[in-house]
Amino acid sequence: MDELVEIGRKAVNHAQGLGLDEAEIFLYKENQTTVKFAGGIFASRGGAVKGLKRRFARIAEPWIKKKGLPVVTSGVRAGVGVRAVEKKAIGFTSVSSIEEKNVLEVVEQAAKIAKIRPPDPNWVSLPEAKKPLGAGGIFDERVQELDAEKMLGLCADCCAAVGDFDKRITQAAAMISASSVYLAVVNTNGLESYDRGTTFTVSVDAKAKSGNEDVGGYDILSTRSFTNDLNPLAVSVAKRTVECLGRRALSEKHVGKVVFENTSWNALFSVIFPHGISALNVQENRSIYKGNVGNQVSGENVSIVDDGTLPDGFGTAKIDDEGTPRQRTPIVENGVLANIIYDNYAAKREQRESTGNASRLGRTSPPYANQPAIKPSNLVLLPGKGDLDELLSQVKNGVLVKGSPIGALHSNVITGDFSVTADTAFKIEDGRIAHPLKACTVAGNLYGALKSIVAIGGDSKAIGNVVCPSLIVDGIVAST
Amino acid sequence: MNLQIEDLMDKAVKHALAVGAFFAEVKGEDTKTRSIEVVNNEVHTVSEARNIGLGVRVFYGKSNGFAFSSALDETSISKTVETAMKIARAATKKTLIKLKPAAVKTIQEKKLTNVSKHPGEVPLDEKKDLCLRQCKAAMETSKSIANASSMYGEYAGTIYHANSEGTKVSYEPLLVGLRIACVAKKGKTIVDARDAYCGSKGLTMFEEEEHTPERLGGNAAKWAVEKLDAKPATAGKFDALVDPHLAGTLAHESFGHLSEADFVAIGSSPLTGKIGQTLGTDIVTIIDEGLPEKGGYTVHFDDEGVPCSRVEILKRGVLNHYLQSRETAHALKMEPTGNARSQDYSFEPIVRMRNTYFGGGDWKPEEALKELKRGIYAIDTAGGQVQDTGTFLFKAVRGYWVENGELKYPLRDVALTGNILELLKNVEVVCSDLEISSSVFGGCGKMGQRALVGTGGPHIKIKDVLFGGAS
């Protein structure tokens, strides 16, 4: 930590020496180990490959336990991102290194860009130091100390537990990722803040076969601290997989109530809604919520918060990625759009305060390589009451979508239109599951759906930094 | 600097053998990504990211281990090799099948990239102007354009590979592009459309009439305005004509991924054991290669140092090849194809595509449209996904409802879904207008890694495609 701040100070001093108006150094270091384990390819259960069958047959009875195909990667990802400002023109550079020589070089490069590019008339200034800092520092030493051998053991045990649950399961694979992050922000306004945190993520998927039918199932656990007991996750995946056997088509296109399991709603909500509530998108005419703060945007039963202080939240930290304290911001209160979320840039453009929502998370690039963008800290759709069964009991005729449907990432974030395929979906008749469905397309509009939520469950689940319960939406189109 | 990278790579390989590996390989990287974003005619961001580091993979016993470092000093590299070895020793105890790279010829080769107006030699100002011109063209097209976001992107540098067998290769990847996204508004209706052009070429590519910033900006704006009056597509099964971009997504997402031999080796691909079988109509050929002539992304070597060969995955409807890494080739007793790629030095190589496309046929696109009696002309794509059951879903971002060969009205975003093995049997017409495109802004995601790829094809007509509409 001290090491990062020390380099940050040197870089800021170097920037001041270059005569820049402002400069900000974001420093990041992550120790990361990921174990992928394709385990339990269970030859005797008809799941294996023809070409490999003979090879498996020797050791596969009754089935291969605790061995498989492991892929383990480990390393230290470290780097800096620099914002240099000269007469309202911002240059951004980054390098995958925290060596002084490389850091000072990118500071100079950022300065060079800032000096030749045209100014951004909306730029005001970099963030100032603010107090108090948010509740951060969720750091579990056990995550930091995990080694590949222990993680491999957990993966193998988990796959074996999936296979033990039901004889129709033919394959199971698990992935565990453990990460410890240290970050610091230092800028020319005297801001100097840092934080550290750990995350522990486990995802498991399985395949099952019965007759000619092949089905798959998946579940994920994402937390800030280590857990030894992956059995509940293994059982959940096994259940989710075999319950899809016996799939039938819908007799006709369904237009009406669809029950989204927490995971399924999360997949759509986490992709689309953050775009709508970003102040920058609102300012730049890219959001459906422009001019809608204070207006009814959903049913009165819906309340949503952005909560950077949520205990165990993935996005919980002392500071956001430009050093502003994380905070709790109500977004939708009983159906009314109360606030949208801001980083320093968008906030100062409207002469207001940042809501601590600057994020440098990229889909595939490390945080230091990205400029701050507006993203939720922890986005929480507040729960109602009851579990999934209780929601089902309220639906006479409908469709239940479970798991993460394919295509959610390709939703139209501007219009809110989504059209996904659910491989794990079920027909609901008279308040109960009638049968699993063949691959089912589910289409609608997320912003519209928020106005048509009939009931909200109490079974909230966190996936990454988005927390949702299961819920029922009316007016959704489903087809097989 | 570069001498230093290659020096450290040699040392890493030697150290790996010294600490017990029977095979070791190292990827070295020094690349830069530059981007410029102009929103509503104002320059928003100008950025540059340098990515340097080494990734080491060691083979020991039945398994392997991978570790990476962005710190390029001897101590850090030795530590990285030792971490990889520690992993390999732990992994070998849990490994079912021996992982070993298949034999390949040892090579020493440097491929340089010579293009006219290489972006590395062009000042920032000129790139910024391309971006501004594109944005301006979009904004000027119509008063309904509420937002125009214009991007310039560039990826260039050097990728190195060395292994303990003596292979030493390097090449200079290059991908440059412009992208424009427009939002159009009318009353409460809000829609979007986009256009883009990318390639492994110099900046002269934006002087070609079809790809000037003005043309790209104008297209996106025109299409966004057209979508204001678009109707949602009806859900159900229809015949479809798909354009080259969408055909490319189909080739890549729904078929290409299934032909990746890592999925085949563990039996999770539906193409497992199907070499020699007829999977599609005899007009369907699907190719994957590193050096396509008709555009796309040029990649000379994969990240196991194997030259990227041309693979006819599906040849006139018959499954001919899988895409292989050295490990999958060893496991399946087949030949490596140069398909082992990693996002950057910090990821292990996995089986990936390069440029995947449908081979051309002999119809003209206008003739194919004429043949479409009642159905959907689906254009361009925002991407797609496939599951290992063969179920795919992808989005066309534009489309038209067609009756008797005539475009009747524009459609909003429409999703196509189905099972690829059924779809390939329903391909009725393949046109001659083969195009391959790539994107420096996106890429393909697999197992948490992004890869730059090209996709393409000609116009293709397919019967009975399931569209997931909202009406």
Side-chain angles (χ1 to χ4, degrees), chain B residues 28-105:
Chain B
E29 170 165 3
D30 189 352
T31 56
K32 258 185 195 168
T33 305
R34 292 192 173 97
S35 66
I36 301 170
E37 189 186 16
V38 170
V39 180
N40 299 344
N41 292 337
E42 276 167 14
V43 178
H44 248 226
T45 61
V46 181
S47 70
E48 190 178 287
R50 182 173 175 205
N51 208 12
I52 44 174
L54 294 190
V56 180
R57 191 160 67 150
V58 300
F59 283 71
Y60 169 83
K62 287 166 85 175
S63 197
N64 62 42
F66 178 88
F68 61 89
S69 172
S70 59
L72 294 178
D73 57 85
E74 273 186 58
T75 319
S76 303
I77 298 306
S78 297
K79 224 178 116 192
T80 304
V81 170
E82 285 150 25
T83 304
M85 267 315 286
K86 208 175 141 203
I87 290 172
R89 285 177 201 275
T92 191
K93 294 180 208 154
K94 292 281 179 196
T95 302
L96 190 61
I97 309 167
K98 184 171 166 100
L99 296 174
K100 191 184 158 184
V104 289
K105 234 170 55 189

XYZ file of all heavy atoms in Angstrom, chain B residues 28-105:
588
model
N 5.956 -12.937 -24.943
C 6.377 -11.603 -24.560
C 5.543 -10.597 -25.327
O 5.109 -10.863 -26.451
N 5.307 -9.465 -24.705
C 4.432 -8.500 -25.368
C 4.874 -7.078 -25.070
O 5.262 -6.751 -23.958
C 3.001 -8.719 -24.852
C 2.034 -7.635 -25.269
C 0.573 -8.038 -25.079
O 0.318 -9.149 -24.568
O -0.285 -7.240 -25.446
N 4.835 -6.248 -26.103
C 4.964 -4.807 -25.924
C 4.036 -4.167 -26.950
O 4.383 -4.016 -28.114
C 6.418 -4.353 -26.126
C 6.603 -2.882 -25.733
O 5.583 -2.214 -25.464
O 7.755 -2.421 -25.691
N 2.831 -3.860 -26.504
C 1.827 -3.336 -27.432
C 1.231 -2.046 -26.882
O 1.316 -1.769 -25.696
C 0.666 -4.344 -27.635
O 0.097 -4.654 -26.364
C 1.155 -5.609 -28.306
N 0.626 -1.294 -27.784
C -0.057 -0.064 -27.387
C -1.457 -0.042 -27.978
O -1.647 -0.407 -29.132
C 0.704 1.149 -27.894
C 1.511 1.804 -26.806
C 2.176 3.067 -27.257
C 3.244 3.422 -26.229
N 4.139 4.454 -26.682
N -2.408 0.383 -27.172
C -3.765 0.595 -27.651
C -4.031 2.087 -27.542
O -3.817 2.666 -26.482
C -4.767 -0.169 -26.768
O -4.382 -1.535 -26.746
C -6.173 -0.054 -27.311
N -4.438 2.696 -28.642
C -4.759 4.123 -28.584
C -6.231 4.290 -28.921
O -6.752 3.595 -29.799
C -3.939 4.913 -29.607
C -2.465 4.957 -29.298
C -1.797 5.999 -30.190
N -0.413 6.196 -29.816
C 0.614 5.586 -30.421
N 0.399 4.747 -31.413
N 1.856 5.814 -30.024
N -6.881 5.226 -28.247
C -8.262 5.484 -28.633
C -8.614 6.951 -28.466
O -8.036 7.660 -27.633
C -9.218 4.591 -27.844
O -9.177 4.948 -26.498
N -9.526 7.379 -29.304
C -10.030 8.754 -29.265
C -11.547 8.657 -29.327
O -12.084 7.867 -30.109
C -9.534 9.565 -30.488
C -8.004 9.597 -30.503
C -10.119 10.983 -30.476
C -7.416 10.157 -31.789
N -12.207 9.421 -28.467
C -13.668 9.413 -28.512
C -14.178 10.841 -28.658
O -13.781 11.732 -27.897
C -14.233 8.788 -27.238
C -15.728 8.560 -27.332
C -16.353 8.084 -26.031
O -15.697 8.214 -24.975
O -17.498 7.612 -26.078
N -15.027 11.027 -29.642
C -15.651 12.327 -29.861
C -17.156 12.141 -29.682
O -17.742 11.257 -30.299
C -15.344 12.846 -31.284
C -16.182 14.079 -31.601
C -13.865 13.159 -31.437
N -17.741 12.939 -28.798
C -19.179 12.836 -28.572
C -19.824 14.165 -28.923
O -19.394 15.212 -28.425
C -19.494 12.461 -27.102
C -20.998 12.365 -26.878
C -18.832 11.143 -26.737
N -20.827 14.125 -29.752
C -21.541 15.334 -30.174
C -20.573 16.454 -30.572
O -20.685 17.592 -30.121
C -22.501 15.803 -29.068
C -23.542 14.735 -28.758
O -23.743 13.790 -29.524
N -24.209 14.877 -27.637
N -19.613 16.096 -31.376
C -18.615 17.015 -31.938
C -17.577 17.555 -30.950
O -16.813 18.454 -31.285
C -19.271 18.204 -32.672
C -19.983 17.750 -33.937
O -19.661 16.693 -34.488
N -20.944 18.525 -34.393
N -17.560 17.023 -29.719
C -16.526 17.450 -28.777
C -15.598 16.284 -28.463
O -16.055 15.164 -28.255
C -17.161 17.940 -27.482
C -17.595 19.387 -27.579
C -18.506 19.773 -26.427
O -18.585 19.012 -25.445
O -19.142 20.838 -26.532
N -14.294 16.589 -28.414
C -13.326 15.531 -28.107
C -13.455 15.170 -26.628
O -13.254 16.009 -25.760
C -11.887 15.987 -28.406
C -10.900 14.888 -28.026
C -11.742 16.357 -29.875
N -13.832 13.951 -26.340
C -14.019 13.510 -24.963
C -12.741 12.949 -24.383
O -12.225 13.439 -23.410
C -15.071 12.398 -24.944
C -16.311 12.825 -24.271
N -16.949 12.051 -23.354
C -17.030 13.954 -24.394
C -18.017 12.688 -22.919
N -18.090 13.843 -23.545
N -12.286 11.873 -25.000
C -11.122 11.217 -24.422
C -10.072 10.925 -25.487
O -10.396 10.622 -26.625
C -11.501 9.881 -23.768
O -12.050 9.032 -24.760
C -12.495 10.041 -22.661
N -8.843 11.074 -25.054
C -7.722 10.676 -25.887
C -6.858 9.820 -24.974
O -6.417 10.294 -23.926
C -6.924 11.902 -26.366
C -5.770 11.451 -27.248
C -7.828 12.870 -27.123
N -6.672 8.576 -25.331
C -5.933 7.743 -24.396
C -4.993 6.788 -25.087
O -5.124 6.497 -26.285
C -6.887 6.983 -23.490
O -7.563 6.002 -24.219
N -4.055 6.317 -24.293
C -3.025 5.434 -24.794
C -2.687 4.458 -23.675
O -2.443 4.891 -22.548
C -1.803 6.299 -25.120
C -0.725 5.601 -25.863
C 0.425 6.575 -26.165
O 0.253 7.440 -27.033
O 1.457 6.452 -25.500
N -2.725 3.168 -23.967
C -2.400 2.183 -22.934
C -1.288 1.280 -23.436
O -1.395 0.696 -24.513
C -3.631 1.358 -22.588
N -0.224 1.196 -22.654
C 0.879 0.331 -23.046
C 0.816 -0.944 -22.220
O 0.644 -0.905 -21.002
C 2.208 1.053 -22.800
C 3.397 0.226 -23.228
C 4.673 1.041 -23.130
N 5.819 0.214 -23.425
C 7.038 0.470 -22.985
N 7.277 1.536 -22.244
N 8.033 -0.318 -23.293
N 0.938 -2.066 -22.900
C 0.856 -3.347 -22.220
C 2.159 -4.097 -22.427
O 2.494 -4.482 -23.543
C -0.326 -4.137 -22.804
C -0.914 -5.106 -21.800
O -0.600 -5.043 -20.607
N -1.746 -6.014 -22.272
N 2.913 -4.263 -21.343
C 4.167 -4.994 -21.464
C 4.204 -6.097 -20.416
O 3.691 -5.933 -19.310
C 5.410 -4.082 -21.261
C 5.183 -3.141 -20.061
C 5.743 -3.308 -22.506
C 6.399 -2.322 -19.706
N 4.810 -7.194 -20.753
C 4.943 -8.259 -19.771
C 5.278 -9.589 -20.401
O 5.398 -9.701 -21.631
N 5.430 -10.579 -19.549
C 5.727 -11.936 -19.999
C 4.746 -12.911 -19.367
O 4.351 -12.744 -18.220
C 7.129 -12.367 -19.556
C 8.369 -11.693 -20.107
C 9.599 -12.483 -19.691
C 8.300 -11.606 -21.617
N 4.388 -13.951 -20.130
C 3.585 -15.049 -19.602
C 4.362 -16.337 -19.818
O 4.860 -16.578 -20.917
N 4.460 -17.143 -18.788
C 5.275 -18.352 -18.863
C 4.405 -19.581 -18.649
O 3.622 -19.633 -17.700
C 6.350 -18.343 -17.735
C 7.203 -19.603 -17.795
C 7.196 -17.102 -17.823
N 4.541 -20.556 -19.526
C 3.824 -21.807 -19.308
C 4.830 -22.947 -19.271
O 5.660 -23.075 -20.168
C 2.783 -22.040 -20.397
C 1.857 -23.196 -20.038
C 0.581 -23.144 -20.821
N 0.807 -23.379 -22.236
C -0.087 -23.940 -23.037
N -1.257 -24.296 -22.569
N 0.173 -24.113 -24.306
N 4.741 -23.740 -18.217
C 5.665 -24.868 -18.088
C 4.881 -26.172 -18.049
O 3.783 -26.223 -17.500
C 6.524 -24.750 -16.808
C 7.341 -23.473 -16.832
C 5.671 -24.809 -15.554
N 5.422 -27.200 -18.650
C 4.812 -28.525 -18.620
C 5.646 -29.417 -17.721
O 6.873 -29.457 -17.839
C 4.734 -29.113 -20.032
C 3.618 -28.519 -20.852
C 3.704 -27.207 -21.300
C 2.488 -29.260 -21.156
C 2.673 -26.649 -22.045
C 1.456 -28.716 -21.889
C 1.548 -27.406 -22.345
N 4.927 -30.096 -16.839
C 5.607 -30.973 -15.886
C 4.689 -32.153 -15.611
O 3.488 -31.972 -15.412
C 5.904 -30.201 -14.594
C 6.353 -31.079 -13.456
C 7.693 -31.470 -13.344
C 5.433 -31.545 -12.514
C 8.092 -32.302 -12.316
C 5.833 -32.374 -11.476
C 7.171 -32.750 -11.382
O 7.557 -33.580 -10.363
N 5.224 -33.352 -15.568
C 4.404 -34.531 -15.282
C 3.281 -34.641 -16.288
O 3.507 -34.621 -17.493
N 2.051 -34.705 -15.787
C 0.907 -34.830 -16.685
C 0.271 -33.496 -17.012
O -0.698 -33.426 -17.752
C -0.166 -35.707 -16.016
C 0.207 -37.183 -15.970
C -0.695 -37.941 -15.018
C -1.982 -38.365 -15.707
N -2.813 -39.205 -14.818
N 0.786 -32.405 -16.402
C 0.019 -31.167 -16.521
C 0.915 -29.966 -16.823
O 2.073 -30.121 -17.218
C -0.771 -30.953 -15.232
O -1.793 -30.025 -15.452
N 0.369 -28.792 -16.621
C 1.158 -27.584 -16.842
C 0.759 -26.498 -15.848
O -0.208 -26.642 -15.104
C 1.033 -27.101 -18.285
C -0.382 -26.737 -18.654
O -1.101 -26.115 -17.869
N -0.825 -27.128 -19.838
N 1.510 -25.420 -15.862
C 1.204 -24.299 -14.993
C 1.513 -23.004 -15.729
O 2.441 -22.963 -16.543
N 0.732 -21.967 -15.447
C 0.922 -20.698 -16.146
C 1.027 -19.562 -15.126
O 0.229 -19.478 -14.202
C -0.256 -20.431 -17.088
C -0.153 -19.119 -17.811
C 0.523 -19.035 -19.020
C -0.721 -17.965 -17.273
C 0.638 -17.819 -19.685
C -0.608 -16.743 -17.936
C 0.071 -16.682 -19.145
N 2.000 -18.718 -15.313
C 2.125 -17.531 -14.459
C 2.615 -16.364 -15.297
O 3.235 -16.565 -16.344
C 3.066 -17.800 -13.302
N 2.304 -15.148 -14.848
C 2.670 -13.988 -15.647
C 3.245 -12.876 -14.779
O 3.054 -12.859 -13.563
C 1.464 -13.464 -16.423
C 0.329 -13.006 -15.551
C 0.250 -11.700 -15.088
C -0.673 -13.899 -15.190
C -0.801 -11.285 -14.277
C -1.728 -13.490 -14.380
C -1.787 -12.186 -13.924
N 3.917 -11.971 -15.428
C 4.479 -10.825 -14.702
C 4.575 -9.624 -15.616
O 4.953 -9.740 -16.779
C 5.877 -11.173 -14.187
O 6.480 -10.014 -13.652
N 4.210 -8.463 -15.084
C 4.415 -7.247 -15.870
C 5.708 -6.577 -15.424
O 6.173 -5.639 -16.051
C 3.220 -6.305 -15.736
O 3.018 -5.960 -14.387
N 6.266 -7.074 -14.322
C 7.559 -6.531 -13.877
C 8.651 -7.243 -14.668
O 8.789 -8.459 -14.598
C 7.729 -6.758 -12.382
N 9.424 -6.485 -15.448
C 10.412 -7.091 -16.328
C 11.833 -6.954 -15.769
O 12.664 -6.224 -16.291
C 10.315 -6.459 -17.723
C 9.013 -6.753 -18.470
C 8.983 -6.049 -19.816
C 8.804 -8.241 -18.659
N 12.066 -7.647 -14.673
C 13.432 -7.730 -14.167
C 13.712 -9.203 -13.891
O 12.787 -10.006 -13.774
C 13.585 -6.897 -12.896
C 12.614 -7.315 -11.825
O 12.905 -8.253 -11.074
O 11.503 -6.731 -11.756
N 14.976 -9.543 -13.772
C 15.337 -10.959 -13.676
C 14.728 -11.654 -12.459
O 14.260 -12.781 -12.564
C 16.854 -11.109 -13.675
C 17.386 -11.179 -15.091
C 18.865 -11.479 -15.145
O 19.269 -12.523 -14.602
O 19.607 -10.659 -15.713
N 14.707 -10.958 -11.320
C 14.154 -11.570 -10.112
C 12.674 -11.895 -10.304
O 12.222 -12.996 -9.984
C 14.311 -10.592 -8.904
O 15.593 -9.998 -9.009
C 14.148 -11.290 -7.593
N 11.914 -10.933 -10.835
C 10.473 -11.154 -11.023
C 10.224 -12.302 -11.999
O 9.297 -13.102 -11.807
C 9.794 -9.897 -11.565
O 10.010 -8.824 -10.707
N 11.036 -12.381 -13.046
C 10.817 -13.421 -14.043
C 11.147 -14.801 -13.460
O 10.403 -15.763 -13.665
C 11.641 -13.135 -15.325
C 11.184 -11.812 -15.965
C 11.518 -14.279 -16.334
C 9.709 -11.687 -16.272
N 12.216 -14.893 -12.696
C 12.540 -16.169 -12.052
C 11.408 -16.593 -11.131
O 11.002 -17.759 -11.106
C 13.820 -16.058 -11.215
O 14.890 -15.761 -12.056
N 10.876 -15.634 -10.382
C 9.783 -15.924 -9.461
C 8.549 -16.411 -10.234
O 7.852 -17.324 -9.811
C 9.438 -14.659 -8.668
C 9.219 -14.937 -7.195
C 8.926 -13.668 -6.432
C 7.530 -13.727 -5.850
N 7.065 -12.446 -5.346
N 8.314 -15.792 -11.383
C 7.165 -16.159 -12.206
C 7.305 -17.599 -12.704
O 6.355 -18.382 -12.664
C 7.048 -15.183 -13.398
O 6.967 -13.864 -12.883
C 5.817 -15.469 -14.236
N 8.498 -17.949 -13.155
C 8.749 -19.326 -13.606
C 8.509 -20.298 -12.457
O 7.868 -21.344 -12.629
C 10.200 -19.466 -14.135
C 10.553 -20.923 -14.386
C 10.384 -18.629 -15.396
N 8.982 -19.926 -11.274
C 8.818 -20.819 -10.119
C 7.352 -20.966 -9.717
O 6.922 -22.057 -9.340
C 9.676 -20.315 -8.949
C 11.161 -20.622 -9.192
C 12.106 -19.609 -8.561
O 11.719 -18.959 -7.570
O 13.250 -19.466 -9.071
N 6.588 -19.876 -9.824
C 5.143 -19.973 -9.544
C 4.490 -20.941 -10.532
O 3.689 -21.795 -10.150
C 4.470 -18.578 -9.673
O 5.126 -17.682 -8.806
C 2.993 -18.626 -9.339
N 4.838 -20.808 -11.802
C 4.272 -21.698 -12.824
C 4.623 -23.154 -12.511
O 3.776 -24.052 -12.635
C 4.787 -21.310 -14.205
N 5.854 -23.393 -12.076
C 6.267 -24.752 -11.742
C 5.496 -25.298 -10.545
O 5.098 -26.452 -10.519
C 7.775 -24.781 -11.430
C 8.676 -25.110 -12.595
S 8.158 -26.493 -13.620
C 8.536 -27.890 -12.564
N 5.286 -24.439 -9.547
C 4.559 -24.845 -8.348
C 3.131 -25.266 -8.737
O 2.609 -26.269 -8.251
C 4.520 -23.664 -7.365
C 4.431 -24.085 -5.932
C 4.527 -22.874 -5.017
C 3.573 -23.048 -3.852
N 3.195 -21.805 -3.232
N 2.538 -24.492 -9.630
C 1.188 -24.805 -10.100
C 1.204 -26.149 -10.833
O 0.361 -27.012 -10.598
C 0.671 -23.695 -11.043
C 0.404 -22.419 -10.246
C -0.579 -24.144 -11.780
C 0.087 -21.211 -11.106
N 2.167 -26.326 -11.722
C 2.219 -27.553 -12.522
C 2.376 -28.776 -11.621
O 1.752 -29.820 -11.845
C 3.362 -27.481 -13.525
N 3.193 -28.651 -10.580
C 3.383 -29.782 -9.668
C 2.082 -30.113 -8.936
O 1.781 -31.281 -8.689
C 4.493 -29.471 -8.650
C 5.892 -29.547 -9.249
C 6.961 -29.159 -8.210
N 8.197 -28.758 -8.851
C 9.152 -29.613 -9.244
N 8.987 -30.900 -9.047
N 10.243 -29.177 -9.841
N 1.314 -29.080 -8.558
C 0.030 -29.322 -7.885
C -0.985 -29.882 -8.875
O -1.745 -30.799 -8.555
C -0.491 -28.031 -7.273
N -0.983 -29.359 -10.086
C -2.001 -29.744 -11.073
C -1.814 -31.174 -11.552
O -2.790 -31.872 -11.836
C -1.970 -28.778 -12.256
N -0.576 -31.605 -11.627
C -0.346 -32.939 -12.191
C -1.014 -34.026 -11.355
O -1.472 -35.039 -11.874
C 1.174 -33.196 -12.401
O 1.312 -34.381 -13.168
C 1.933 -33.340 -11.098
N -1.160 -33.765 -10.045
C -1.810 -34.753 -9.176
C -3.306 -34.868 -9.459
O -3.942 -35.835 -9.082
C -1.644 -34.347 -7.707
C -0.196 -34.381 -7.231
C -0.136 -33.963 -5.763
C 1.195 -33.328 -5.428
N 1.103 -32.408 -4.296
N -3.860 -33.859 -10.066
C -5.313 -33.846 -10.300
C -5.652 -34.072 -11.764
O -6.777 -33.834 -12.191
C -5.868 -32.466 -9.893
C -5.807 -32.190 -8.415
C -6.932 -32.897 -7.703
C -6.861 -32.657 -6.204
N -7.707 -33.632 -5.483
N -4.663 -34.438 -12.562
C -4.892 -34.497 -13.999
C -5.172 -35.902 -14.495
O -4.459 -36.845 -14.156
C -3.688 -33.898 -14.746
O -3.508 -32.562 -14.306
C -3.931 -33.887 -16.248
N -6.218 -35.988 -15.293
C -6.694 -37.276 -15.774
C -5.949 -37.725 -17.028
O -5.555 -38.875 -17.151
C -8.176 -37.091 -16.105
C -8.991 -38.311 -16.417
C -9.018 -39.253 -15.242
C -10.409 -37.852 -16.744
N -5.813 -36.801 -17.969
C -5.186 -37.157 -19.242
C -3.892 -36.373 -19.340
O -3.869 -35.183 -19.029
C -6.067 -36.713 -20.430
C -7.489 -37.196 -20.243
C -5.509 -37.223 -21.753
C -8.461 -36.541 -21.189
N -2.858 -36.997 -19.810
C -1.583 -36.289 -19.906
C -1.683 -35.163 -20.938
O -2.093 -35.384 -22.082
C -0.467 -37.252 -20.299
C 0.900 -36.559 -20.310
C 2.037 -37.564 -20.486
C 3.326 -36.870 -20.836
N 4.230 -36.696 -19.712
N -1.334 -33.964 -20.492
C -1.327 -32.825 -21.398
C 0.088 -32.633 -21.918
O 1.041 -32.578 -21.154
C -1.746 -31.555 -20.647
C -3.158 -31.537 -20.110
C -3.383 -30.301 -19.260
C -4.158 -31.565 -21.257
N 0.185 -32.551 -23.222
C 1.502 -32.454 -23.819
C 1.325 -31.765 -25.155
O 0.358 -32.041 -25.869
C 1.997 -33.894 -24.025
C 3.443 -34.035 -24.395
C 3.782 -35.494 -24.667
C 5.013 -35.536 -25.522
N 5.369 -36.886 -25.912
N 2.230 -30.885 -25.523
C 2.062 -30.259 -26.826
C 2.414 -31.229 -27.959
O 3.414 -31.941 -27.855
C 3.041 -29.085 -26.797
C 3.835 -29.200 -25.554
C 3.369 -30.360 -24.751
N 1.596 -31.266 -29.006
C 1.894 -32.111 -30.159
C 3.166 -31.602 -30.846
O 3.495 -30.413 -30.760
C 0.730 -32.068 -31.141
N 3.844 -32.486 -31.519
C 5.093 -32.105 -32.186
C 4.833 -31.117 -33.318
O 3.856 -31.232 -34.049
C 5.769 -33.351 -32.748
N 5.687 -30.114 -33.417
C 5.653 -29.173 -34.553
C 7.085 -28.886 -34.979
O 8.032 -29.157 -34.245
C 4.970 -27.825 -34.196
C 3.491 -27.979 -34.009
C 5.611 -27.188 -32.970
N 7.196 -28.313 -36.175
C 8.519 -27.940 -36.658
C 9.024 -26.725 -35.873
O 8.265 -25.818 -35.576
C 8.424 -27.580 -38.149
C 9.394 -28.353 -39.002
C 9.143 -28.194 -40.483
C 9.128 -26.761 -40.993
N 8.673 -26.676 -42.379
